[in-house]
Amino acid sequence: MTQAIRYEKHGDIAVLAAQNPPVNALGVDVRRGLLDGLERAEAEGAKAVLIYGEGRTYFAGADIREFGKPLQEPGLPALCDRIEASPLLIVSALHGTALGGGLEVALASQYRIAVPNAKIGLPEVNLGILPGAGGTQRLPRVAGVEAALGMITTGRHVRAAEALDLGILDRVQDGAPREIGLSYAQELLEEGAQRRPVCDMPAPDPIDFDAAYDAVLKKGRGQLSPAVAVRAVQAACEAESFAAGQARERELFLDLMETDQRKGLIHAFFAERAVAKLPELEDIEPRELHHIGLVGGGTMGAGIATAMLLAGLQVTLLEMSAEAAHAAKERIATNLAGAVKRGKLSQSAHDDLLRNQLALATEYDALATVDLVVEAVFEDMEVKKQVFAQLNSVCKPGAVLATNTSYLDINQIAASTSRASDVIGLHFFSPAHVMKLLEVVVADKTAPDVVATGFALGRRLKKISVRGGVCDGFIGNRILSQYRACADHMVLDGASPFQIDKALTGFGFAMGPFAVSDLAGLDIGWATRKRKRALGMDPRARDSTFADALCEAGHFGQKTGRGFYVYESGQRSGTPNPDVMPLIEADRAAQGITSREFSDEEIVQRYMTAMVNEAAKVVGEGIARRPLDVDVTLLYGYGFPRYWGGPMKWADLTGLPEVLGNIQNWAKEDAYFWHHAPLLEQLVAEGRSFDDLNA
Ligand code: T1G
């Protein structure tokens, strides 16, 4: 018997305890342990078997690290069938998160009991696959087709109380899983409970699966797994037998295992868990954080303050006047009211945070005792330096001085203080209390424990924190400026902004670059172009004026009801603005450009390749530690479609030689823009991938 499963006999009950931390993943040792334990229980004349998990959870699914590797017997489907076929009474006691293959083992058991805060789910679609050990066949029989489809096509985690209502659980009871499991199994034996294998339950009544398929596919914006899972559940209703339904499930499961989307989604799963693992921070203690200061209560400052309050931190917000401070408090109150509306916060907690956790100030002295302060004022270097000079003189020794700048040189800001080692960039994304991404920007002199404090704060705020280095735009905005410029170049050369947006939403983005600009406000891009022109652009760099012309006419996008699109009041999606194309044609004519046709495929290739090329420079220069840091940044901060895994994973799936080949080809028309990243050339020469650099 492997150590992954501990066997003990308790009267007539054999107990199989999973001990495979951290989440009792159903790796080969666990599967063999379960099979051995079951056979031993049967051989030793047990009447019932209790299966539960030691540690923080019941099985949280198959071991994802085994995917793509040769299957080691017993496979999970066979193991579930064996558990279900056992002549003994099989009881599962669930706690923590019984997910995927874990719930499938429980569904193969005869009876299921859980602790009140347990959660169950079949989240396989979020990994680009579907439940492959009978979940699509057994869950519809137990919970009905609609409920099963809802759980399987969304992967949502269901709380124990709802699972009981759905008939998935037989009992919910307080206590330790082993104890409640043993007493429940004993009770079932005493009352002579019968085996009731789910596979013997009648096939549920079918629904209009074609309609369900189309609706799920549309909602998935190109993600395959949720829609394919509908066909598996369809088999549960329409296949001539349970076994035939299982065979169909297996077929669809194996098809999805071969898809790039599966590789992209599993890469994303592990990448978002790897970004915070920095070897240099291993034994570094972060500084204590209880009281946070905020300088600036505009949209970003108020959003950051809201995130801090929701994480239970005390906040002192400094503004230049009492009016401005109260306006900031109003913004925070609105943000918190949104959390109450979404059921994330009670009204009393809302009131308590505003009354007791948030303090307003108009004098810097109020920040003398804070543990960390975030500056979120206007993006101007001189203004930032004045703020940091003030903070340098009032903040206590050891306070972390952070800036929320989204592109300015943090080394310069740090140099304006006498404590550069306490200065760090904490780049939040708007709305800061909603967006998961936090760029932790490490300046040349930032102390390791200050970096560790940045990551600790990120964990506390439930953010995904990515380490970045200092350059114009750090990781995300620097890469954005390139693929955004590529979009403008394609417009100058003949593509329409509307075709580009359609092509990229077809690729999986929620919105195309021009719709995103309208959402963010065209005045932001305008200010950036003006800033870059004022700094002096390289004469070889292409420039465009069609967006400036829109801004000069007062059209800033959604906030003015008109930008690249026209928005009816209150509408978030608009119709193409008829004024745009004439502005573009005028720009082309002024630059003597003859426009040409672009296919959607070419638009996607150029846009993605511009993204990957700049990202490879960002990794090559060490601004991002690993390619996965770029992937996670784009996934969580720039709406990159998750099923591609991120731009670097997309490039690996596409093939780096093809990506480099395209760049070298397009460099013939614009050598300045399509200057390829040395890292890309090196990897192609060595026959390696970006993933090789993630190890
Ligand atoms: N396999 C391998 N490792 C796993 C794992 C899994 N299923 N789940 C978690 N880990 C690792 C994770 O990488 C991390 O490692 C550590 O455990 C803690 O996780 C046939 C085929 C369970 C809700 O999709 O959603 O079953 O970073 O940091 O925030 O139908 O992990 O410490 O080295 O996320 O408390 C279906 C995936 C699999 C569940 C816990 N199951 N896991 O969240 O901790 S497919 C899932 C989660 C399947 C069958 C199919 C979460 C969690 P490290 P964590 P957490």
Side-chain angles (χ1 to χ4, degrees), residues 292-294 302-315 353 357 372 374 426 428 433 457 460-461:
I292 305 294
L294 246 297
I304 298 168
T306 306
M308 301 290 184
L309 291 170
L310 288 170
L313 290 155
Q314 193 193 339
V315 174
L353 289 178
Q357 291 292 106
L372 178 146
V374 181
L426 292 179
F428 290 81
H433 61 296
L457 177 62
R460 182 100 181 249
L461 301 178

PDB file of all heavy atoms in Angstrom, residues 292-294 302-315 353 357 372 374 426 428 433 457 460-461:
ATOM      1  N   ILE A 292      -2.047  51.817   6.136  1.00  0.00           N
ATOM      2  CA  ILE A 292      -1.613  52.205   4.791  1.00  0.00           C
ATOM      3  C   ILE A 292      -1.949  53.674   4.543  1.00  0.00           C
ATOM      4  O   ILE A 292      -3.042  54.141   4.905  1.00  0.00           O
ATOM      5  CB  ILE A 292      -2.325  51.348   3.727  1.00  0.00           C
ATOM      6  CG1 ILE A 292      -2.099  49.845   4.002  1.00  0.00           C
ATOM      7  CG2 ILE A 292      -1.887  51.731   2.326  1.00  0.00           C
ATOM      8  CD1 ILE A 292      -0.686  49.372   3.848  1.00  0.00           C
ATOM      9  N   GLY A 293      -1.018  54.382   3.905  1.00  0.00           N
ATOM     10  CA  GLY A 293      -1.283  55.765   3.511  1.00  0.00           C
ATOM     11  C   GLY A 293      -1.538  55.822   2.012  1.00  0.00           C
ATOM     12  O   GLY A 293      -0.981  55.025   1.251  1.00  0.00           O
ATOM     13  N   LEU A 294      -2.395  56.733   1.606  1.00  0.00           N
ATOM     14  CA  LEU A 294      -2.670  56.960   0.195  1.00  0.00           C
ATOM     15  C   LEU A 294      -2.494  58.446  -0.072  1.00  0.00           C
ATOM     16  O   LEU A 294      -3.068  59.273   0.645  1.00  0.00           O
ATOM     17  CB  LEU A 294      -4.123  56.598  -0.155  1.00  0.00           C
ATOM     18  CG  LEU A 294      -4.437  55.425  -1.086  1.00  0.00           C
ATOM     19  CD1 LEU A 294      -3.858  55.675  -2.463  1.00  0.00           C
ATOM     20  CD2 LEU A 294      -3.897  54.146  -0.541  1.00  0.00           C
ATOM     21  N   ALA A 302      -8.656  56.189  -5.034  1.00  0.00           N
ATOM     22  CA  ALA A 302      -9.861  55.699  -4.338  1.00  0.00           C
ATOM     23  C   ALA A 302     -10.008  54.188  -4.531  1.00  0.00           C
ATOM     24  O   ALA A 302     -10.379  53.462  -3.597  1.00  0.00           O
ATOM     25  CB  ALA A 302     -11.090  56.428  -4.871  1.00  0.00           C
ATOM     26  N   GLY A 303      -9.676  53.700  -5.727  1.00  0.00           N
ATOM     27  CA  GLY A 303      -9.758  52.262  -5.981  1.00  0.00           C
ATOM     28  C   GLY A 303      -8.752  51.492  -5.130  1.00  0.00           C
ATOM     29  O   GLY A 303      -9.071  50.451  -4.541  1.00  0.00           O
ATOM     30  N   ILE A 304      -7.541  52.036  -5.028  1.00  0.00           N
ATOM     31  CA  ILE A 304      -6.498  51.381  -4.215  1.00  0.00           C
ATOM     32  C   ILE A 304      -6.910  51.398  -2.745  1.00  0.00           C
ATOM     33  O   ILE A 304      -6.806  50.389  -2.039  1.00  0.00           O
ATOM     34  CB  ILE A 304      -5.136  52.076  -4.427  1.00  0.00           C
ATOM     35  CG1 ILE A 304      -4.680  51.959  -5.887  1.00  0.00           C
ATOM     36  CG2 ILE A 304      -4.080  51.495  -3.487  1.00  0.00           C
ATOM     37  CD1 ILE A 304      -3.494  52.843  -6.247  1.00  0.00           C
ATOM     38  N   ALA A 305      -7.425  52.539  -2.288  1.00  0.00           N
ATOM     39  CA  ALA A 305      -7.878  52.632  -0.886  1.00  0.00           C
ATOM     40  C   ALA A 305      -8.990  51.612  -0.621  1.00  0.00           C
ATOM     41  O   ALA A 305      -8.995  50.925   0.402  1.00  0.00           O
ATOM     42  CB  ALA A 305      -8.380  54.051  -0.605  1.00  0.00           C
ATOM     43  N   THR A 306      -9.898  51.454  -1.582  1.00  0.00           N
ATOM     44  CA  THR A 306     -10.992  50.485  -1.436  1.00  0.00           C
ATOM     45  C   THR A 306     -10.439  49.069  -1.294  1.00  0.00           C
ATOM     46  O   THR A 306     -10.851  48.306  -0.421  1.00  0.00           O
ATOM     47  CB  THR A 306     -11.916  50.549  -2.671  1.00  0.00           C
ATOM     48  OG1 THR A 306     -12.355  51.898  -2.865  1.00  0.00           O
ATOM     49  CG2 THR A 306     -13.113  49.629  -2.514  1.00  0.00           C
ATOM     50  N   ALA A 307      -9.456  48.751  -2.133  1.00  0.00           N
ATOM     51  CA  ALA A 307      -8.852  47.403  -2.071  1.00  0.00           C
ATOM     52  C   ALA A 307      -8.216  47.170  -0.696  1.00  0.00           C
ATOM     53  O   ALA A 307      -8.367  46.099  -0.104  1.00  0.00           O
ATOM     54  CB  ALA A 307      -7.801  47.257  -3.167  1.00  0.00           C
ATOM     55  N   MET A 308      -7.550  48.199  -0.185  1.00  0.00           N
ATOM     56  CA  MET A 308      -6.883  48.078   1.126  1.00  0.00           C
ATOM     57  C   MET A 308      -7.928  47.877   2.236  1.00  0.00           C
ATOM     58  O   MET A 308      -7.774  47.022   3.101  1.00  0.00           O
ATOM     59  CB  MET A 308      -6.075  49.344   1.417  1.00  0.00           C
ATOM     60  CG  MET A 308      -4.995  49.687   0.401  1.00  0.00           C
ATOM     61  SD  MET A 308      -3.614  48.555   0.440  1.00  0.00           S
ATOM     62  CE  MET A 308      -2.521  49.367  -0.784  1.00  0.00           C
ATOM     63  N   LEU A 309      -9.002  48.641   2.173  1.00  0.00           N
ATOM     64  CA  LEU A 309     -10.044  48.542   3.208  1.00  0.00           C
ATOM     65  C   LEU A 309     -10.697  47.158   3.159  1.00  0.00           C
ATOM     66  O   LEU A 309     -10.904  46.523   4.187  1.00  0.00           O
ATOM     67  CB  LEU A 309     -11.088  49.634   2.997  1.00  0.00           C
ATOM     68  CG  LEU A 309     -10.644  51.074   3.262  1.00  0.00           C
ATOM     69  CD1 LEU A 309     -11.710  52.059   2.762  1.00  0.00           C
ATOM     70  CD2 LEU A 309     -10.373  51.293   4.745  1.00  0.00           C
ATOM     71  N   LEU A 310     -10.974  46.675   1.951  1.00  0.00           N
ATOM     72  CA  LEU A 310     -11.614  45.361   1.806  1.00  0.00           C
ATOM     73  C   LEU A 310     -10.701  44.246   2.314  1.00  0.00           C
ATOM     74  O   LEU A 310     -11.164  43.178   2.699  1.00  0.00           O
ATOM     75  CB  LEU A 310     -11.986  45.116   0.344  1.00  0.00           C
ATOM     76  CG  LEU A 310     -13.169  45.931  -0.188  1.00  0.00           C
ATOM     77  CD1 LEU A 310     -13.290  45.791  -1.702  1.00  0.00           C
ATOM     78  CD2 LEU A 310     -14.481  45.516   0.494  1.00  0.00           C
ATOM     79  N   ALA A 311      -9.384  44.545   2.361  1.00  0.00           N
ATOM     80  CA  ALA A 311      -8.435  43.530   2.862  1.00  0.00           C
ATOM     81  C   ALA A 311      -8.202  43.690   4.364  1.00  0.00           C
ATOM     82  O   ALA A 311      -7.323  43.042   4.938  1.00  0.00           O
ATOM     83  CB  ALA A 311      -7.099  43.663   2.118  1.00  0.00           C
ATOM     84  N   GLY A 312      -8.976  44.597   4.976  1.00  0.00           N
ATOM     85  CA  GLY A 312      -8.897  44.742   6.433  1.00  0.00           C
ATOM     86  C   GLY A 312      -7.780  45.656   6.905  1.00  0.00           C
ATOM     87  O   GLY A 312      -7.449  45.688   8.090  1.00  0.00           O
ATOM     88  N   LEU A 313      -7.192  46.430   5.991  1.00  0.00           N
ATOM     89  CA  LEU A 313      -6.119  47.341   6.389  1.00  0.00           C
ATOM     90  C   LEU A 313      -6.697  48.699   6.765  1.00  0.00           C
ATOM     91  O   LEU A 313      -7.741  49.111   6.239  1.00  0.00           O
ATOM     92  CB  LEU A 313      -5.125  47.481   5.240  1.00  0.00           C
ATOM     93  CG  LEU A 313      -4.281  46.225   4.957  1.00  0.00           C
ATOM     94  CD1 LEU A 313      -3.806  46.201   3.515  1.00  0.00           C
ATOM     95  CD2 LEU A 313      -3.102  46.157   5.929  1.00  0.00           C
ATOM     96  N   GLN A 314      -6.010  49.396   7.683  1.00  0.00           N
ATOM     97  CA  GLN A 314      -6.418  50.754   8.061  1.00  0.00           C
ATOM     98  C   GLN A 314      -5.842  51.706   7.022  1.00  0.00           C
ATOM     99  O   GLN A 314      -4.712  51.508   6.573  1.00  0.00           O
ATOM    100  CB  GLN A 314      -5.852  51.044   9.446  1.00  0.00           C
ATOM    101  CG  GLN A 314      -6.411  52.257  10.140  1.00  0.00           C
ATOM    102  CD  GLN A 314      -5.552  52.601  11.352  1.00  0.00           C
ATOM    103  OE1 GLN A 314      -4.829  51.714  11.844  1.00  0.00           O
ATOM    104  NE2 GLN A 314      -5.606  53.864  11.767  1.00  0.00           N
ATOM    105  N   VAL A 315      -6.631  52.711   6.604  1.00  0.00           N
ATOM    106  CA  VAL A 315      -6.176  53.591   5.525  1.00  0.00           C
ATOM    107  C   VAL A 315      -6.292  55.053   5.927  1.00  0.00           C
ATOM    108  O   VAL A 315      -7.316  55.477   6.477  1.00  0.00           O
ATOM    109  CB  VAL A 315      -6.998  53.348   4.240  1.00  0.00           C
ATOM    110  CG1 VAL A 315      -6.627  54.362   3.166  1.00  0.00           C
ATOM    111  CG2 VAL A 315      -6.801  51.919   3.733  1.00  0.00           C
ATOM    112  N   LEU A 353     -16.211  50.150   7.756  1.00  0.00           N
ATOM    113  CA  LEU A 353     -14.974  50.505   7.045  1.00  0.00           C
ATOM    114  C   LEU A 353     -14.864  52.011   6.853  1.00  0.00           C
ATOM    115  O   LEU A 353     -13.827  52.624   7.116  1.00  0.00           O
ATOM    116  CB  LEU A 353     -14.931  49.792   5.684  1.00  0.00           C
ATOM    117  CG  LEU A 353     -14.711  48.278   5.690  1.00  0.00           C
ATOM    118  CD1 LEU A 353     -14.735  47.734   4.268  1.00  0.00           C
ATOM    119  CD2 LEU A 353     -13.407  47.913   6.383  1.00  0.00           C
ATOM    120  N   GLN A 357     -12.219  52.498   9.611  1.00  0.00           N
ATOM    121  CA  GLN A 357     -10.964  52.071   8.980  1.00  0.00           C
ATOM    122  C   GLN A 357     -10.352  53.134   8.086  1.00  0.00           C
ATOM    123  O   GLN A 357      -9.179  53.097   7.770  1.00  0.00           O
ATOM    124  CB  GLN A 357     -11.213  50.810   8.133  1.00  0.00           C
ATOM    125  CG  GLN A 357     -11.527  49.552   8.918  1.00  0.00           C
ATOM    126  CD  GLN A 357     -10.317  49.067   9.714  1.00  0.00           C
ATOM    127  OE1 GLN A 357     -10.292  49.223  10.922  1.00  0.00           O
ATOM    128  NE2 GLN A 357      -9.331  48.547   9.038  1.00  0.00           N
ATOM    129  N   LEU A 372       3.135  51.629   5.115  1.00  0.00           N
ATOM    130  CA  LEU A 372       3.377  51.708   3.669  1.00  0.00           C
ATOM    131  C   LEU A 372       2.491  52.812   3.120  1.00  0.00           C
ATOM    132  O   LEU A 372       1.358  52.977   3.569  1.00  0.00           O
ATOM    133  CB  LEU A 372       3.037  50.372   3.004  1.00  0.00           C
ATOM    134  CG  LEU A 372       3.179  50.236   1.495  1.00  0.00           C
ATOM    135  CD1 LEU A 372       3.623  48.825   1.114  1.00  0.00           C
ATOM    136  CD2 LEU A 372       1.861  50.548   0.752  1.00  0.00           C
ATOM    137  N   VAL A 374       1.115  54.629  -0.610  1.00  0.00           N
ATOM    138  CA  VAL A 374       1.064  54.544  -2.074  1.00  0.00           C
ATOM    139  C   VAL A 374       0.747  55.926  -2.626  1.00  0.00           C
ATOM    140  O   VAL A 374      -0.265  56.537  -2.242  1.00  0.00           O
ATOM    141  CB  VAL A 374      -0.008  53.550  -2.562  1.00  0.00           C
ATOM    142  CG1 VAL A 374      -0.012  53.480  -4.090  1.00  0.00           C
ATOM    143  CG2 VAL A 374       0.211  52.161  -1.968  1.00  0.00           C
ATOM    144  N   LEU A 426       4.250  50.041  -7.132  1.00  0.00           N
ATOM    145  CA  LEU A 426       3.100  49.141  -6.988  1.00  0.00           C
ATOM    146  C   LEU A 426       2.075  49.629  -8.001  1.00  0.00           C
ATOM    147  O   LEU A 426       1.325  50.562  -7.753  1.00  0.00           O
ATOM    148  CB  LEU A 426       2.559  49.184  -5.558  1.00  0.00           C
ATOM    149  CG  LEU A 426       3.468  48.585  -4.475  1.00  0.00           C
ATOM    150  CD1 LEU A 426       2.811  48.719  -3.097  1.00  0.00           C
ATOM    151  CD2 LEU A 426       3.800  47.127  -4.765  1.00  0.00           C
ATOM    152  N   PHE A 428      -1.101  49.412  -9.855  1.00  0.00           N
ATOM    153  CA  PHE A 428      -2.440  48.821  -9.858  1.00  0.00           C
ATOM    154  C   PHE A 428      -3.095  49.102 -11.216  1.00  0.00           C
ATOM    155  O   PHE A 428      -2.672  50.009 -11.940  1.00  0.00           O
ATOM    156  CB  PHE A 428      -3.286  49.446  -8.740  1.00  0.00           C
ATOM    157  CG  PHE A 428      -2.864  49.049  -7.349  1.00  0.00           C
ATOM    158  CD1 PHE A 428      -1.788  49.691  -6.723  1.00  0.00           C
ATOM    159  CD2 PHE A 428      -3.527  48.054  -6.662  1.00  0.00           C
ATOM    160  CE1 PHE A 428      -1.384  49.339  -5.446  1.00  0.00           C
ATOM    161  CE2 PHE A 428      -3.136  47.683  -5.381  1.00  0.00           C
ATOM    162  CZ  PHE A 428      -2.060  48.325  -4.772  1.00  0.00           C
ATOM    163  N   HIS A 433      -9.768  48.102  -7.228  1.00  0.00           N
ATOM    164  CA  HIS A 433     -10.356  47.182  -6.253  1.00  0.00           C
ATOM    165  C   HIS A 433     -10.999  45.985  -6.944  1.00  0.00           C
ATOM    166  O   HIS A 433     -11.526  45.098  -6.297  1.00  0.00           O
ATOM    167  CB  HIS A 433     -11.388  47.906  -5.384  1.00  0.00           C
ATOM    168  CG  HIS A 433     -12.533  48.483  -6.138  1.00  0.00           C
ATOM    169  ND1 HIS A 433     -12.368  49.501  -7.065  1.00  0.00           N
ATOM    170  CD2 HIS A 433     -13.837  48.166  -6.162  1.00  0.00           C
ATOM    171  CE1 HIS A 433     -13.536  49.790  -7.585  1.00  0.00           C
ATOM    172  NE2 HIS A 433     -14.450  48.999  -7.065  1.00  0.00           N
ATOM    173  N   LEU A 457       1.745  42.246   0.312  1.00  0.00           N
ATOM    174  CA  LEU A 457       0.555  43.093   0.180  1.00  0.00           C
ATOM    175  C   LEU A 457      -0.325  42.558  -0.944  1.00  0.00           C
ATOM    176  O   LEU A 457      -1.550  42.439  -0.794  1.00  0.00           O
ATOM    177  CB  LEU A 457       0.951  44.540  -0.120  1.00  0.00           C
ATOM    178  CG  LEU A 457      -0.204  45.504  -0.341  1.00  0.00           C
ATOM    179  CD1 LEU A 457      -1.083  45.634   0.897  1.00  0.00           C
ATOM    180  CD2 LEU A 457       0.310  46.875  -0.790  1.00  0.00           C
ATOM    181  N   ARG A 460      -2.284  39.734   0.276  1.00  0.00           N
ATOM    182  CA  ARG A 460      -3.317  40.228   1.213  1.00  0.00           C
ATOM    183  C   ARG A 460      -4.497  40.812   0.443  1.00  0.00           C
ATOM    184  O   ARG A 460      -5.644  40.673   0.831  1.00  0.00           O
ATOM    185  CB  ARG A 460      -2.656  41.288   2.116  1.00  0.00           C
ATOM    186  CG  ARG A 460      -3.514  41.908   3.184  1.00  0.00           C
ATOM    187  CD  ARG A 460      -3.250  41.282   4.537  1.00  0.00           C
ATOM    188  NE  ARG A 460      -4.102  41.882   5.549  1.00  0.00           N
ATOM    189  CZ  ARG A 460      -3.650  42.677   6.531  1.00  0.00           C
ATOM    190  NH1 ARG A 460      -2.353  42.935   6.620  1.00  0.00           N
ATOM    191  NH2 ARG A 460      -4.487  43.191   7.407  1.00  0.00           N
ATOM    192  N   LEU A 461      -4.229  41.450  -0.681  1.00  0.00           N
ATOM    193  CA  LEU A 461      -5.281  42.059  -1.495  1.00  0.00           C
ATOM    194  C   LEU A 461      -5.876  41.060  -2.490  1.00  0.00           C
ATOM    195  O   LEU A 461      -6.696  41.435  -3.334  1.00  0.00           O
ATOM    196  CB  LEU A 461      -4.698  43.253  -2.267  1.00  0.00           C
ATOM    197  CG  LEU A 461      -4.072  44.387  -1.443  1.00  0.00           C
ATOM    198  CD1 LEU A 461      -3.491  45.456  -2.368  1.00  0.00           C
ATOM    199  CD2 LEU A 461      -5.090  44.999  -0.484  1.00  0.00           C
TER     200      LEU A 461
END
